[in-house]
């Protein structure tokens, strides 16, 4: 039997090139090898934005469209919304019974976010338990492999510990999920920092060609190259970092790099080359995206079908959990 992959994304709106290179390209490939469960974790989105849930629905829609556009295939993968499968909440409750507070309080992302995110009140019961809900998401499907970025590895460690702890108390129910760490380097945004929705520096998968060019045209380059006649250093240029991820034409890359170092080409020439590679990748993605966008019914059907399939697996896990704990079976 193919190993089971589980991964989720929070519905925060349109996805960007960082998501594409850091996660989605791999997720698409995994469909050939594994039994994949891809979940839009809308309860997690509520957790950090409970005071205003008005964009969750449209954000779920954008994420789903981006996923379908890049080639996640509802006939090969199980694509669904977390809130459509009620067993996520049930397993979260069961795991919360045995989740030691110390594990959660010590989690580095928790400490970091409580300190750094000042425009939201995150001092809630559920926010502390974020990794418990994440563990429930994965363990509900007995996910064996979890592709995550390095930023999530502390959470995944808690998922493993939760599986171990449950099994120690109640008998072997859950496999310990393993990480598949994505090797892609961080994709920088237009200001040179990590591309991230919260920095407002992202180039989105669904941006129009005009928007993409405008973002690239004004994107930061090697700061030492002030004028066209100054030689540049690609190793100090965020545009070059994006080339390295999305441009596989090595001959062209050698030419551009040489041209930059000798001031033989200007930044705009280099950006034009990158634009054409990006559009080569994004055009078919956007066309597939549009074909789903035009039919709301198709999108709803994808989610319904995914939820039905996910719930069949989830219900079996929950009955095992109930038996293991020793409750009277339903
Ligand atoms: P954002 O910072 O935009 O909110 P998330 O933290 O939700 O993005 O990203 C989800 C996953 O997408 C990450 O775990 C990581 O694997 C990948 N990812 C996001 N941004 C980037 C980036 N700039 N470069 C590489 N991978 C990224």
């Amino acid at each position: 039997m193919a190993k089971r992959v589980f991964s989720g994304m929070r519905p925060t709106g349109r996805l960007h090139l960082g998501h594409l290179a850091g996660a989605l390209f791999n997720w698409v490939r995994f469909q050939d090898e594994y039994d994949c469960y891809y979940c839009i974790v809308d309860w997690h989105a509520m957790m950090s934005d409970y005071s205003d849930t008005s964009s969750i629905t449209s954000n779920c829609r954008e994420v789903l469209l981006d996923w379908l556009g890049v080639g996640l295939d509802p006939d090969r993968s199980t694509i669904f919304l977390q809130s459509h499968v009620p067993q996520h909440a049930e397993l979260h409750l069961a795991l919360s019974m045995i989740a030691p507070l110390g594990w959660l309080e010590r989690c580095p992302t928790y400490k970091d976010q409580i300190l750094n995110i000042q425009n939201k009140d995150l001092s809630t019961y559920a926010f502390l338990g974020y990794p418990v809900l994440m563990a429930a998401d994965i363990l509900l499907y007995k996910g064996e492999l979890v592709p995550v970025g390095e930023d999530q590895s502390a959470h995944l460690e808690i998922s493993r510990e939760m599986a171990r702890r449950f099994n120690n108390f109640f008998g072997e129910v859950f496999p310990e999920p393993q990480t598949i760490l994505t090797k892609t380097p961080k994709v920088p945004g237009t200001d040179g920092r990590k591309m991230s929705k919260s920095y407002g520096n992202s180039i989105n998968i669904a941006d129009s060609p005009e928007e993409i060019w405008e973002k690239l045209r004004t994107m930061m380059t090697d700061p030492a190259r002030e004028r066209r006649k100054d030689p540049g250093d690609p190793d100090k240029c965020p545009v070059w970092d994006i080339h390295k991820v999305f441009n596989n034409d090595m001959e062209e890359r050698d030419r551009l790099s040489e041209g930059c170092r000798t001031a033989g080409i200007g930044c705009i020439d280099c950006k034009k080359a990158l634009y054409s590679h990006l559009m080569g990748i994004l055009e078919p993605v956007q066309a597939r995206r549009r074909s789903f966008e035009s039919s709301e019914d198709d999108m709803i059907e994808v989610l319904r079908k995914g939820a039905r399939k996910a719930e069949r697996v989830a219900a079996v896990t929950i009955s095992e959990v109930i038996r293991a704990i020793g409750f009277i079976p339903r």
Side-chain angles (χ1 to χ4, degrees):
M1 268 252 289
K3 285 198 172 178
R4 192 165 284 162
V5 162
F6 178 92
S7 204
M9 264 190 204
R10 279 179 315 129
T12 50
R14 290 190 166 184
L15 302 176
H16 53 63
L17 297 183
H19 297 120
L20 186 59
L24 296 175
F25 279 154
N26 284 327
W27 290 20
V28 171
R29 276 196 300 109
F30 293 150
Q31 298 182 117
D32 300 328
E33 256 181 275
Y34 302 118
D35 179 21
C36 299
Y37 283 68
Y38 295 130
C39 180
I40 301 175
V41 289
D42 46 0
W43 279 114
H44 280 280
M46 180 188 174
M47 199 175 265
S48 38
D49 265 314
Y50 59 86
S51 60
D52 178 9
T53 53
S54 59
S55 18
I56 292 185
T57 300
S58 63
N59 286 349
C60 286
R61 188 174 175 278
E62 296 294 339
V63 170
L64 178 65
L65 284 170
D66 283 333
W67 282 9
L68 296 169
V70 300
L72 295 189
D73 176 356
D75 291 328
R76 291 193 293 157
S77 295
T78 310
I79 297 171
F80 62 106
L81 285 183
Q82 186 186 31
S83 67
H84 283 184
V85 181
Q87 287 85 354
H88 285 260
E90 200 170 3
L91 186 56
H92 172 246
L93 177 64
L95 295 180
S96 74
M97 304 286 173
I98 60 165
L101 271 182
W103 292 4
L104 305 174
E105 286 163 346
R106 276 196 302 274
C107 181
T109 46
Y110 175 72
K111 288 197 285 198
D112 189 63
Q113 294 191 333
I114 287 288
L115 277 177
N116 289 320
I117 302 184
Q118 264 140 20
N119 54 343
K120 293 175 196 165
D121 178 15
L122 294 177
S123 48
T124 60
Y125 172 57
F127 190 71
L128 178 66
Y130 193 108
V132 182
L133 181 54
M134 179 168 153
D137 298 337
I138 299 166
L139 299 180
L140 192 54
Y141 304 98
K142 302 193 175 177
E144 295 159 275
L145 300 171
V146 185
V148 290
E150 244 165 292
D151 49 337
Q152 287 290 328
S153 42
H155 288 160
L156 202 76
E157 188 51 39
I158 296 184
S159 297
R160 266 195 294 279
E161 283 169 351
M162 290 302 311
R164 237 176 276 149
R165 193 165 161 86
F166 187 95
N167 293 344
N168 279 338
F169 280 125
F170 308 114
E172 284 297 312
V173 173
F174 298 116
E176 280 180 36
Q178 302 302 317
T179 317
I180 316 182
L181 261 190
T182 314
K183 282 190 211 74
T184 323
K186 282 198 178 74
V187 177
T190 49
D191 58 0
R193 293 187 291 172
K194 179 194 168 197
M195 189 177 287
S196 167
K197 187 170 173 71
S198 42
Y199 294 152
N201 64 358
S202 48
I203 299 176
N204 297 322
I205 294 172
D207 281 346
S208 69
E210 296 74 26
E211 283 171 299
I212 292 177
W213 173 244
E214 197 46 31
K215 288 180 181 178
L216 277 182
R217 193 182 66 77
T218 52
M219 178 164 173
M220 183 190 151
T221 55
D222 171 7
R225 190 174 187 195
E226 284 174 12
R227 282 170 296 266
R228 166 72 175 75
K229 63 178 176 32
D230 299 335
D233 182 354
D235 295 332
K236 300 204 173 100
C237 177
V239 172
W240 190 246
D241 288 331
I242 304 192
H243 262 290
K244 287 192 283 195
V245 179
F246 292 97
N247 177 357
N248 293 323
D249 181 344
M250 298 312 272
E251 272 176 39
E252 184 190 52
R253 264 167 54 182
D254 286 345
R255 258 196 331 272
L256 292 170
S257 160
E258 179 62 18
C260 174
R261 289 180 201 282
T262 56
I265 61 164
C267 293
I268 286 291
D269 302 311
C270 180
K271 288 173 170 181
K272 278 186 184 152
L274 178 57
Y275 173 78
S276 98
H277 286 283
L278 281 181
M279 290 320 298
I281 294 168
L282 293 180
E283 260 162 17
V285 168
Q286 295 188 353
R288 220 172 5 246
R289 196 183 194 281
R290 274 192 297 275
S291 71
F292 279 95
E293 201 168 13
S294 58
S295 168
E296 202 72 28
D297 289 349
D298 286 354
M299 271 194 283
I300 290 170
E301 189 43 41
V302 166
L303 292 177
R304 290 221 173 107
K305 184 175 144 190
R308 276 197 300 271
K309 189 159 162 238
E311 189 166 358
R312 276 199 296 277
V313 177
V316 173
T317 306
I318 289 296
S319 58
E320 285 174 26
V321 165
I322 286 189
R323 226 175 305 128
I325 295 172
F327 288 151
I328 297 173
R330 292 166 190 167

